[in-house]
Amino acid sequence: MKILVDADACPVTRIVEEVAKEYHLEVTLLCDTNHVLRSDYSKIEVIGAGPDAVDFALIMSCKQGDIVVSQDYGVAALALSKGAYGIHQSGKWYTNENIEGLLMERHLAKKTRRSSKKTHLKGPKKRTKEEDEKFRTSLKKLIEKVKI
């Protein structure tokens, strides 16, 4: 088992590395050429810039039993189809039971944005320590579940 992180602007990479060290797990951070990542622990893969390039590279690297950290529901769905486990930066697990609803939610939100003619969305609010701890706890629980 290894952990693959869709690391483009991912706010939990440090937490993933800290938890992975505790469990002696390999971590790969994937990002495009627009991001600069440094790590003393993780393997870093810089993927050429392009639409969904990092997403496709992550899925190609993903194997059954791996854990994928991504906020992209499409990436999560593909990871699940390969027998991997998925977790959102909020700590929510992606499962075969919830992924279809999440994908529909994403589709409807995109459709609404297109019809409202908004060209720019407001970015996410600053993460709290509570959100970070929720993610850490959830990731540890997922690792324990996968190790069984």
Side-chain angles (χ1 to χ4, degrees):
M1 167 195 351
K2 66 180 179 258
I3 302 175
L4 298 147
V5 181
D6 183 354
D8 286 342
C10 180
V12 295
T13 54
R14 180 186 51 78
I15 297 169
V16 170
E17 288 182 324
E18 290 169 1
V19 171
K21 283 179 192 177
E22 287 179 44
Y23 288 90
H24 308 287
L25 296 174
E26 177 186 330
V27 176
T28 301
L29 306 175
L30 293 95
C31 66
D32 67 25
T33 55
N34 296 316
H35 295 84
V36 177
L37 298 178
R38 299 196 192 316
S39 175
D40 294 330
Y41 185 78
S42 300
K43 175 182 172 187
I44 296 174
E45 288 188 23
V46 179
I47 311 302
D52 303 320
V54 171
D55 300 343
F56 293 129
L58 187 149
I59 293 304
M60 292 302 291
S61 298
C62 176
K63 306 277 187 259
Q64 183 174 356
D66 288 344
I67 295 176
V68 171
V69 180
S70 179
Q71 62 182 344
D72 186 313
Y73 298 163
V75 169
L78 291 169
L80 289 172
S81 75
K82 292 186 81 171
Y85 299 85
I87 184 170
H88 186 274
Q89 65 194 26
S90 67
K92 182 179 183 80
W93 294 358
Y94 299 110
T95 66
N96 290 323
E97 291 73 35
N98 72 10
I99 195 65
E100 202 170 299
L102 293 170
L103 288 168
M104 180 57 76
E105 206 175 279
R106 178 181 79 163
H107 169 71
L108 294 173
K110 188 174 184 178
K111 199 171 170 180
T112 301
R113 281 193 306 274
R114 273 196 215 131
S115 68
S116 72
K117 298 181 182 176
K118 276 191 173 186
T119 57
H120 181 70
L121 296 176
K122 192 174 182 183
K125 65 184 188 320
K126 187 174 176 5
R127 281 184 71 85
T128 65
K129 288 181 182 179
E130 291 80 17
E131 289 170 317
D132 286 347
E133 280 311 307
K134 181 180 176 187
F135 175 80
R136 181 187 305 277
T137 300
S138 184
L139 178 60
K140 285 182 176 185
K141 285 180 182 175
L142 182 57
I143 290 169
E144 291 295 332
K145 176 185 174 183
V146 173
K147 287 179 85 169
I148 292 176

